[in-house]
Amino acid sequence: MKKFYKIESSRKSRFLLLIATAILFFSFIKNGYSKIDTVDIKPPVIVSGSHCGEFAIQVTDDRSLMINQDTFQRDVGIIQPPVLLAGRSENISEIHSSTFEPGQVNYDFSFMLSVLNKYVDAKAVFFVVDSTNRNFAFDSVVYRAERIQLTPNLLSFGNVFINTESRLNAQIENMTSRDIEIVSIRLAKGILFSIVEMPKDLIISPDSIHRIIISFNPLTDKYSEDVFDVDTLLIETECLTYRLPMNGIGVKPAIIVEDIDFRAVEVGKIVVYNESFNPVYGKGLNISNPGSGKLIISGFYPLSDFSPFGISQQAAMQLNNFEINPQMERFINGITFQPTTHGEFFDTLTFKNNASGPDSVCHIRGIAYLPGPYLSDVHIGRVRVGDRKKGYLYLRNSGENPVSVSGFELSQLSNEFRIIDSEIKPRLSSQSPALLYPDRPEYLGYLQEIQIPVEFSPNTEFLKEIKVIPIFDIASGIEKGRIFNYVRGFGFKPLIEASGYQFPGKTLVSIKHPSTGNVSIASKSWSADLFIKSIDVMPVGFTLPDEFTFGKALPRDTSINILNPLEIPVSFLPREAGERQVALRIISDSYYGVDGSKWDTTFIYVTGTSYNKVISIENISIDSAFHCRITEGLIKIKNISDTTEAFIIEVKPVAGDLGAFTIDTDSIDNNFVILDPLDSIYLRFRFETYDEDKDIFELFLRVFSDVDTSTGIIRINTVKRNLIVQLPEIENTVPGAILEYNPPKSFGPEFEIIGDFTDLNEIDIYSFELEIEYDKKDLFFGGKVLPGDITSGWISFDTYETEVDGDRIRLNITARGSTSLKGLKGVLCKPVFIVLLGDSSSSDIELKTAIFPSAERCINKKLFSGKVRMSYCGEEVRKIVLSNRFYDLKSKTANPVLGGFAEISYTVALPAQTYIEVFNSFGESINLISDGFKESGTYTQIIDFKELNTGLYFVKMVSGPFAKSIKIMVVK
């Protein structure tokens, strides 16, 4: 209807014009002019105006007047468009934005001319001829560019120590013959660079020179010569902007001093720290400068009084004055260890230097032992978090008499180190100890060395260590703990931190975006560099390969240093309208699982939005839509022109996941839709997943109109809800105990299968099926399954057992009920087991499957297996048949603790001295909760955390033969 209205308006205007012409004609007749000759002898009239290289030209040919008694002048108008004389024009565009109507007689119209490069002079010559082809009007326009010269071309500050200031001068010179007014002088960023001085008078006369002083004050240093701090000086006139780029590098020295470990040394001997202790780096103490400025060491602070460690005179002279260039290292030989008594010793050697860190202290340690048995240490080396690696310690004897060895133990409970008792050579036990002979020739052929394998499986990053302590026969006269040494390992975990780039704003098709973006890839880990296997660029949707261009080659088989992230510049030149995007598929060694041979795939995106001159589709991106829920929304189609209307012909899905989306186009299909300038319409869309294994869905839309075509995208990332099922880990269970026993009394800890559905609120769950596999020599299923707290009232718990092989049993549990599990967390069920008298100290219980039929396609299941650890308290293990006594320690408060207090519960089986103590993550004692005699029974205790910082704390209980630690996370 709008279009018809416009057509009628135009007809009405022409009708009025016709009436006016008729009136004029009859007026001529009435006044006696019917016999006067009518001619057009005047050229068209041209009037021009300009601003900053944009010229607006107005042309009129609409005059009527008496020339003399016989002749009347009347313009006949213009049919031919204006003509630009290209051969006489320079640096000027074609004629555009014309209101000239081809094929019609034009009496009044306008057109535009634009200077192409506004930093250079320009001119244009053009003409217009009227419909007689006799009357010509020539005209021209001239553009004189403002010309300012900035020197130098680049303001480079070079290397500047951080937190110090450096200044440089820049000059502005007027290269024209007229005054130029400077509108503003400013910096694009103005963070590390600042303008110290600039001209007070911003009118620059011809050939005059003005000075600007810029300062650079870096706050951080750079670890690579090709990474600069950058800014731009902007000189703005009324029409133009001149740019002077600048850069600089902040530098600082750094120091890293290697720690020294002399390991085990016999009392009375003197050893020098050299290549025998430091085979990796070379001779002596290693000092390195990983910084970007020169490191100067001017001395050191003395070691402690009566320290067994020493510094030779030659080493002391070296340490009093020497330099280390950036990225270089030096070695100091002459650090000694001369113990006079047995034990473990520590000291620190601190250096005076001009660096701010990260480490100017050398921590020195050593173990001294008396002649007799001694234990070597071992550094297992770098082990990826989650992996396992084995190392060996060796027990030898430097004394004169054999000693009896019955075993080895760790100095504390650890879930990262484990002595592999079955592989100790020779096999040891309290019933069958081994006699270790001195390592002297007369005992050749006897046992002179015991090999102790230790497995290291780090849970977290960085250096870990633990003491290994031999256990000697009482007759040997060696108290427990006097002989020891360390097993060490370094846990590392490569982690990637990568970010793409979103080009700001919208870019006109075929015009390069004025900004250059940066894609960043860094090692997020502090324990390992990041190894990039490959980076592949994959256009998304209809994006063309050449729309995004990277300024440097993408790395392949390259390591990215912890301290030096990789920045890759990227530019954007769109070829079509809509969201344009490429994905960078990064394959690196940042793998979270146990198998270190696998690679991790990370996707980052570079995105830009482009537009045509009229129709634009607003792209839609929805994150975290639930995988099993219908998602609806609106698509916005807008006319972004302020002058041109658009008739919408069709809106059509053209690519992507067509089966997952429905677009309501009835308003387009059934109506004559015309978008006025700056108007919008909305179309409803509906999304529903159709592929269980897919989590990223895209639909590409194309809008066809009578003026242009535009493309848009709907992108939806779906997520599946997490569902967790976990078997228990039960500590200190005696053989014969019943795991979860109904009235009259529980004789052991409960076997509780935990289900966590707190992330799943949309789908009801009324049934499940579990399969548990266990060793039949350790556990016996009692034929009964009790409901848990979240399945209370469920009436069906069916079970059947299957023998997997000669050693393992698989138990199937199928449960159904009338109350839903959605949103709950708690005990699903409690199968009853009897702990048998097996040969192992622990028994693994594996959760093979967990099936929830109503939610399978909508969830990510995380299954955690369990373990039962035995406690053999009696000397004659075989006499234990059933025990109704048990110990326990557990937290009754939700973990983490948000603020003040936590409540623990502990059970004492046998009357004994019992202490409970709180430690921080560094192993430091924080609070002694209990240290006294306790009768048998269950107790509760409130622990006050309100004065402690956020962090991980450990509560340890020791009572008789029982010892256990639990973790409590405090968050404030």
Side-chain angles (χ1 to χ4, degrees):
M1 295 301 294
K2 294 180 181 177
K3 193 145 196 165
F4 290 129
Y5 175 79
K6 291 181 179 180
I7 292 173
E8 291 299 325
S9 298
S10 177
R11 289 175 178 173
K12 182 178 180 181
S13 299
R14 293 184 179 276
F15 179 70
L16 292 175
L17 180 61
L18 181 61
I19 292 174
T21 304
I23 292 172
L24 180 62
F25 176 75
F26 288 118
S27 175
F28 287 158
I29 295 175
K30 182 179 179 181
N31 290 282
Y33 294 139
S34 60
K35 297 181 180 180
I36 295 177
D37 292 331
T38 303
V39 296
D40 183 358
I41 59 174
K42 292 183 175 294
V45 177
I46 298 176
V47 179
S48 63
S50 68
H51 178 73
C52 290
E54 299 293 331
F55 296 94
I57 317 297
Q58 185 73 30
V59 180
T60 57
D61 194 47
D62 191 14
R63 293 158 298 188
S64 297
L65 56 97
M66 289 293 298
I67 300 176
N68 54 43
Q69 188 174 4
D70 300 320
T71 306
F72 185 78
Q73 153 69 35
R74 187 181 63 165
D75 287 337
V76 298
I78 300 167
I79 294 179
Q80 299 181 36
V83 177
L84 177 69
L85 298 179
R88 296 178 176 269
S89 303
E90 297 176 1
N91 190 27
I92 205 78
S93 70
E94 294 291 334
I95 293 174
H96 60 89
S97 298
S98 175
T99 58
F100 180 87
E101 295 187 22
Q104 304 291 328
V105 177
N106 295 268
Y107 294 95
D108 190 353
F109 65 90
S110 62
F111 62 89
M112 297 290 296
L113 291 169
S114 298
V115 174
L116 298 176
N117 182 355
K118 295 182 181 180
Y119 294 88
V120 179
D121 292 347
K123 67 178 181 179
V125 179
F126 53 90
F127 72 89
V128 182
V129 60
D130 67 11
S131 299
T132 67
N133 287 325
R134 298 190 306 269
N135 300 319
F136 289 85
F138 280 86
D139 207 342
S140 65
V141 292
V142 176
Y143 170 77
R144 301 296 182 192
E146 300 167 335
R147 287 200 295 274
I148 288 177
Q149 179 171 304
L150 291 176
T151 54
N153 293 329
L154 171 67
L155 208 59
S156 180
F157 287 82
N159 294 347
V160 178
F161 277 92
I162 64 170
N163 298 320
T164 62
E165 183 186 64
S166 177
R167 296 187 177 188
L168 289 178
N169 295 338
Q171 292 187 157
I172 309 175
E173 183 176 359
N174 182 352
M175 305 298 291
T176 68
S177 58
R178 65 186 188 278
D179 289 347
I180 296 178
E181 181 180 0
I182 304 296
V183 176
S184 71
I185 300 175
R186 61 186 178 88
L187 293 173
K189 297 179 181 177
I191 300 174
L192 301 178
F193 298 85
S194 60
I195 299 175
V196 178
E197 181 182 316
M198 65 179 184
K200 296 180 180 179
D201 184 6
L202 295 182
I203 303 294
I204 304 179
S205 57
D207 299 323
S208 65
I209 297 175
H210 289 231
R211 184 179 69 169
I212 300 175
I213 301 177
I214 308 293
S215 72
F216 173 46
N217 189 347
L219 301 178
T220 58
D221 64 326
K222 301 294 182 180
Y223 289 90
S224 174
E225 288 296 327
D226 61 352
V227 179
F228 295 92
D229 290 311
V230 295
D231 208 335
T232 304
L233 177 66
L234 303 176
I235 309 295
E236 297 174 336
T237 66
E238 183 181 4
C239 297
L240 301 176
T241 299
Y242 293 86
R243 293 172 172 82
L244 174 60
M246 58 190 66
N247 63 35
I249 300 178
V251 297
K252 70 174 181 180
I255 182 172
I256 295 180
V257 180
E258 174 200 28
D259 293 335
I260 291 178
D261 187 354
F262 283 94
R263 306 201 288 265
V265 175
E266 190 174 312
V267 171
K269 292 185 177 180
I270 180 172
V271 293
V272 180
Y273 190 69
N274 54 25
E275 69 273 8
S276 62
F277 295 96
N278 191 8
V280 175
Y281 292 103
K283 292 185 177 181
L285 168 65
N286 176 258
I287 305 174
S288 61
N289 175 11
S292 49
K294 182 176 290 187
L295 172 65
I296 300 174
I297 294 180
S298 57
F300 61 92
Y301 295 96
L303 296 170
S304 306
D305 294 338
F306 310 110
S307 173
F309 305 106
I311 303 172
S312 69
Q313 183 177 1
Q314 180 181 0
M317 291 176 61
Q318 283 183 285
L319 292 172
N320 272 318
N321 187 19
F322 74 99
E323 300 176 350
I324 303 177
N325 288 323
Q327 308 300 317
M328 301 298 290
E329 61 186 0
R330 291 276 298 274
F331 296 91
I332 304 298
N333 200 358
I335 313 298
T336 62
F337 179 36
Q338 187 176 12
T340 56
T341 60
H342 78 278
E344 187 173 14
F345 300 93
F346 303 90
D347 210 335
T348 57
L349 178 60
T350 305
F351 295 96
K352 303 174 183 178
N353 62 87
N354 68 330
S356 57
D359 177 18
S360 61
V361 179
C362 172
H363 297 276
I364 312 175
R365 66 194 299 181
I367 297 172
Y369 63 90
L370 296 170
Y374 66 95
L375 187 64
S376 69
D377 68 338
V378 64
H379 196 307
I380 294 178
R382 293 173 58 84
V383 180
R384 190 188 186 101
V385 170
D387 284 357
R388 300 175 184 273
K389 191 175 180 181
K390 192 186 303 182
Y392 298 90
L393 295 87
Y394 295 91
L395 182 67
R396 300 183 179 96
N397 186 356
S398 66
E400 298 188 0
N401 300 309
V403 292
S404 178
V405 185
S406 59
F408 298 86
E409 65 180 34
L410 299 176
S411 58
Q412 63 189 57
L413 292 174
S414 173
N415 57 6
E416 295 184 301
F417 293 95
R418 180 175 71 95
I419 296 175
I420 308 176
D421 296 319
S422 60
E423 296 182 13
I424 295 177
K425 297 180 180 179
R427 294 290 297 270
L428 302 173
S429 70
S430 57
Q431 287 77 31
S432 57
L435 207 58
L436 181 66
Y437 287 84
D439 50 1
R440 292 160 54 181
E442 57 265 34
Y443 293 108
L444 191 64
Y446 290 86
L447 178 64
Q448 294 181 310
E449 177 181 274
I450 298 177
Q451 177 181 278
I452 309 101
V454 180
E455 185 179 73
F456 175 46
S457 179
N459 296 330
T460 55
E461 300 172 85
F462 304 119
L463 182 68
K464 310 295 179 67
E465 66 178 20
I466 196 168
K467 286 182 181 179
V468 176
I469 301 171
I471 301 173
F472 297 97
D473 187 75
I474 296 176
S476 298
I478 304 172
E479 66 273 18
K480 182 180 177 181
R482 197 190 83 185
I483 307 300
F484 65 89
N485 216 322
Y486 288 92
V487 56
R488 300 183 178 89
F490 187 91
F492 75 92
K493 181 165 64 173
L495 296 174
I496 186 172
E497 184 175 68
S499 59
Y501 186 77
Q502 171 76 54
F503 281 90
K506 294 185 177 181
T507 307
L508 189 62
V509 169
S510 300
I511 301 297
K512 186 175 181 180
H513 196 286
S515 300
T516 298
N518 273 301
V519 171
S520 176
I521 305 172
S523 171
K524 189 180 178 182
S525 167
W526 283 103
S527 61
D529 292 342
L530 178 70
F531 184 79
I532 301 295
K533 186 176 180 64
S534 64
I535 300 180
D536 298 313
V537 180
M538 300 182 297
V540 177
F542 287 102
T543 302
L544 301 174
D546 63 341
E547 292 187 89
F548 295 93
T549 305
F550 294 91
K552 62 170 66 173
L554 299 178
R556 183 175 294 270
D557 295 328
T558 302
S559 288
I560 298 179
N561 185 269
I562 294 173
L563 301 174
N564 189 14
L566 176 66
E567 301 284 343
I568 305 172
V570 58
S571 58
F572 176 42
L573 177 60
R575 305 298 184 190
E576 290 188 16
E579 183 178 79
R580 324 303 291 168
Q581 187 176 69
V582 293
L584 270 66
R585 182 178 62 189
I586 307 169
I587 299 178
S588 70
D589 64 346
S590 176
Y591 177 67
Y592 283 84
V594 175
D595 185 355
S597 65
K598 292 188 177 180
W599 299 94
D600 180 67
T601 302
T602 303
F603 285 92
I604 58 175
Y605 295 88
V606 181
T607 304
T609 303
S610 58
Y611 68 95
N612 288 321
K613 295 181 179 180
V614 180
I615 294 298
S616 171
I617 302 179
E618 188 173 280
N619 295 310
I620 295 174
S621 180
I622 299 176
D623 291 326
S624 303
F626 181 42
H627 195 78
C628 291
R629 186 173 60 195
I630 295 173
T631 301
E632 294 185 328
L634 295 175
I635 306 160
K636 181 179 180 181
I637 302 173
K638 183 177 182 180
N639 182 347
I640 60 175
S641 170
D642 57 3
T643 59
T644 305
E645 67 180 16
F647 167 49
I648 305 301
I649 300 171
E650 184 181 19
V651 178
K652 182 179 180 181
V654 291
D657 301 289
L658 301 177
F661 293 88
T662 302
I663 308 297
D664 182 6
T665 61
D666 286 349
S667 59
I668 302 294
D669 300 337
N670 301 327
N671 296 284
F672 191 72
V673 178
I674 295 177
L675 282 185
D676 284 334
L678 303 180
D679 273 0
S680 301
I681 59 170
Y682 293 87
L683 303 181
R684 182 167 297 279
F685 73 88
R686 185 174 186 268
F687 165 78
E688 184 175 8
T689 54
Y690 64 90
D691 187 340
E692 294 183 14
D693 298 323
K694 189 178 177 71
D695 56 9
I696 299 177
F697 296 82
E698 294 178 330
L699 182 71
F700 294 89
L701 292 172
R702 186 160 285 173
V703 176
F704 300 90
S705 75
D706 62 339
V707 287
D708 69 359
T709 302
S710 184
T711 304
I713 184 172
I714 304 174
R715 177 180 291 111
I716 295 181
N717 293 336
T718 64
V719 294
K720 294 183 177 181
R721 297 292 188 249
N722 292 322
L723 189 156
I724 302 171
V725 181
Q726 184 170 5
L727 298 184
E729 291 201 5
I730 304 173
E731 304 281 348
N732 299 293
T733 300
V734 297
I738 299 177
L739 301 177
E740 179 51 56
Y741 187 81
N742 230 12
K745 187 176 182 181
S746 176
F747 293 107
E750 295 180 342
F751 193 101
E752 298 179 338
I753 302 177
I754 306 296
D756 186 348
F757 306 86
T758 52
D759 194 37
L760 187 63
N761 291 308
E762 293 89 348
I763 296 178
D764 287 309
I765 297 176
Y766 296 101
S767 65
F768 62 83
E769 181 179 347
L770 307 176
E771 284 189 349
I772 301 169
E773 191 174 298
Y774 51 89
D775 201 315
K776 68 180 183 181
K777 72 176 184 300
D778 295 326
L779 294 174
F780 176 78
F781 176 54
K784 185 176 185 180
V785 177
L786 304 177
D789 57 347
I790 62 175
T791 54
S792 177
W794 283 30
I795 58 174
S796 176
F797 288 89
D798 299 325
T799 64
Y800 64 86
E801 295 175 272
T802 306
E803 187 168 317
V804 179
D805 51 35
D807 299 321
R808 304 285 286 178
I809 296 291
R810 183 169 295 172
L811 172 66
N812 179 281
I813 303 172
T814 303
R816 287 178 294 277
S818 58
T819 57
S820 175
L821 299 177
K822 71 176 182 181
L824 301 179
K825 179 182 179 181
V827 180
L828 284 172
C829 60
K830 298 183 281 189
V832 177
F833 286 98
I834 298 175
V835 182
L836 304 178
L837 191 61
D839 296 326
S840 59
S841 60
S842 65
S843 181
D844 292 323
I845 309 162
E846 187 176 358
L847 180 57
K848 301 296 290 186
T849 59
I851 300 174
F852 300 86
S854 62
E856 282 297 307
R857 61 184 291 263
C858 308
I859 57 176
N860 287 319
K861 285 185 290 190
K862 298 182 179 180
L863 308 182
F864 296 92
S865 296
K867 188 183 288 288
V868 175
R869 295 182 177 87
M870 312 301 177
S871 175
Y872 301 109
C873 302
E875 291 184 2
E876 297 183 33
V877 177
R878 293 294 175 180
K879 292 182 180 180
I880 299 177
V881 177
L882 178 67
S883 172
N884 61 357
R885 302 180 184 276
F886 67 94
Y887 295 85
D888 194 17
L889 170 65
K890 60 185 177 182
S891 172
K892 300 182 68 177
T893 307
N895 209 354
V897 174
L898 302 176
F901 300 89
E903 184 177 8
I904 63 169
S905 169
Y906 61 98
T907 302
V908 177
L910 301 172
Q913 190 75 15
T914 301
Y915 83 90
I916 301 174
E917 195 167 5
V918 181
F919 297 87
N920 62 17
S921 59
F922 298 101
E924 301 167 339
S925 176
I926 301 299
N927 190 6
L928 185 61
I929 304 300
S930 173
D931 186 13
F933 189 84
K934 294 286 185 182
E935 295 290 341
S936 301
T938 299
Y939 303 83
T940 59
Q941 178 72 45
I942 301 295
I943 303 176
D944 184 0
F945 285 102
K946 66 176 182 295
E947 300 299 328
L948 300 180
N949 296 326
T950 295
L952 183 64
Y953 296 84
F954 299 85
V955 179
K956 181 178 181 180
M957 171 183 171
V958 176
S959 179
F962 175 79
K964 181 180 179 181
S965 295
I966 60 174
K967 299 177 182 178
I968 295 180
M969 173 62 74
V970 175
V971 177
K972 294 189 176 181

